[in-house]
Amino acid sequence: MSDLGLRKVVSVTDELLLELGRPVAVPVRRVAAAAVIRNPWAGLGLVADLQPEVERIAPGLARLLTDRVSDALGGVDRVESFGKAAIVGLNGEIEHGGALIHTPFFGNVLRELTEGTSIIVFSDDRLPAGEPLTVPLWHKTAAATRSHYQTCQIRIPDAPRPDEIVVIAAGASGPRPNARIGDRATDPVIRLADLEDQEGEEDREDREDREDPKNMETVK
């Protein structure tokens, strides 16, 4: 791993068992695994071609982090949702983080190792060391499954240093706690015009109620 410029690996796991003091319908475990690496483009100015370093670094990071997530969740079969993220240190470009997570050299490897088919939802930012980043997740094979829209947060006190990048893979073993707001696949068709018509009808009914003598307060 020394060829990746890897300084440390950090994993964060949470498992929510209670919501509002009551057991959740499906206990869910969420994991974020992060690799803190030396930014290979730091100090080089604007590098036009990022591809050589992407091909060298990204696949190894994807394998490392996906293995950490899968192991923490109990195996690939337990990974229902996934996400990815990058935090760039202050001496780098946002594009440096994007280069390492947004190409097939990272995303396709993560997707294949988790047996997913969905586009991988993401977040990225440029931050000083110790700042948290929220990583979104959604279902690995059915991105329209609203119950699995959720997030996890990761914070590393000493990373990223100005010349570092934190690359993150995340996963969850199930849906949000007590998910119950339906699903995009079964939602009714909602158009803006329909909502505006409904609002207009409600305004008309309110106006008629106010003008109805029976609803007016008698002033003596």
Side-chain angles (χ1 to χ4, degrees), residues 83-105:
K84 61 185 179 180
I87 310 173
V88 181
L90 297 182
N91 287 350
E93 294 181 73
I94 288 290
E95 188 71 356
H96 295 162
L100 292 178
I101 66 171
H102 291 321
T103 71
F105 294 95

Side-chain angles (χ1 to χ4, degrees), residues 144-146 181-190:
T145 304
R146 189 181 291 135
I181 58 172
D183 191 272
R184 287 181 58 193
T186 57
D187 281 343
V189 176
I190 301 296

Side-chain angles (χ1 to χ4, degrees), residues 78-140:
R78 295 276 296 166
V79 181
E80 292 191 12
S81 302
F82 56 22
K84 61 185 179 180
I87 310 173
V88 181
L90 297 182
N91 287 350
E93 294 181 73
I94 288 290
E95 188 71 356
H96 295 162
L100 292 178
I101 66 171
H102 291 321
T103 71
F105 294 95
F106 185 90
N108 284 13
V109 175
L110 190 162
R111 188 165 27 247
E112 185 172 340
L113 290 176
T114 55
E115 299 177 356
T117 56
S118 298
I119 293 173
I120 306 170
V121 66
F122 73 94
S123 62
D124 53 31
D125 207 343
R126 177 169 48 206
L127 297 169
E131 290 295 316
L133 185 71
T134 298
V135 186
L137 304 103
W138 63 29
H139 200 286
K140 69 178 184 180

Side-chain angles (χ1 to χ4, degrees), residues 21-104:
R22 301 176 59 183
V24 298
V26 180
V28 60
R29 179 177 293 180
R30 292 172 294 206
V31 178
V36 181
I37 68 167
R38 181 182 65 255
N39 184 339
W41 304 288
L44 301 180
L46 184 64
V47 178
D49 185 6
L50 305 179
Q51 192 71 6
E53 296 291 359
V54 169
E55 295 181 13
R56 182 178 69 84
I57 296 172
L61 289 179
R63 287 180 177 276
L64 169 68
L65 297 176
T66 304
D67 286 348
R68 294 294 179 104
V69 170
S70 297
D71 289 348
L73 292 179
V76 173
D77 292 342
R78 295 276 296 166
V79 181
E80 292 191 12
S81 302
F82 56 22
K84 61 185 179 180
I87 310 173
V88 181
L90 297 182
N91 287 350
E93 294 181 73
I94 288 290
E95 188 71 356
H96 295 162
L100 292 178
I101 66 171
H102 291 321
T103 71

Side-chain angles (χ1 to χ4, degrees), residues 138-160:
W138 63 29
H139 200 286
K140 69 178 184 180
T141 61
T145 304
R146 189 181 291 135
S147 61
H148 285 63
Y149 293 174
Q150 55 192 310
T151 61
C152 63
Q153 190 175 83
I154 188 165
R155 173 184 174 273
I156 305 175
D158 68 342

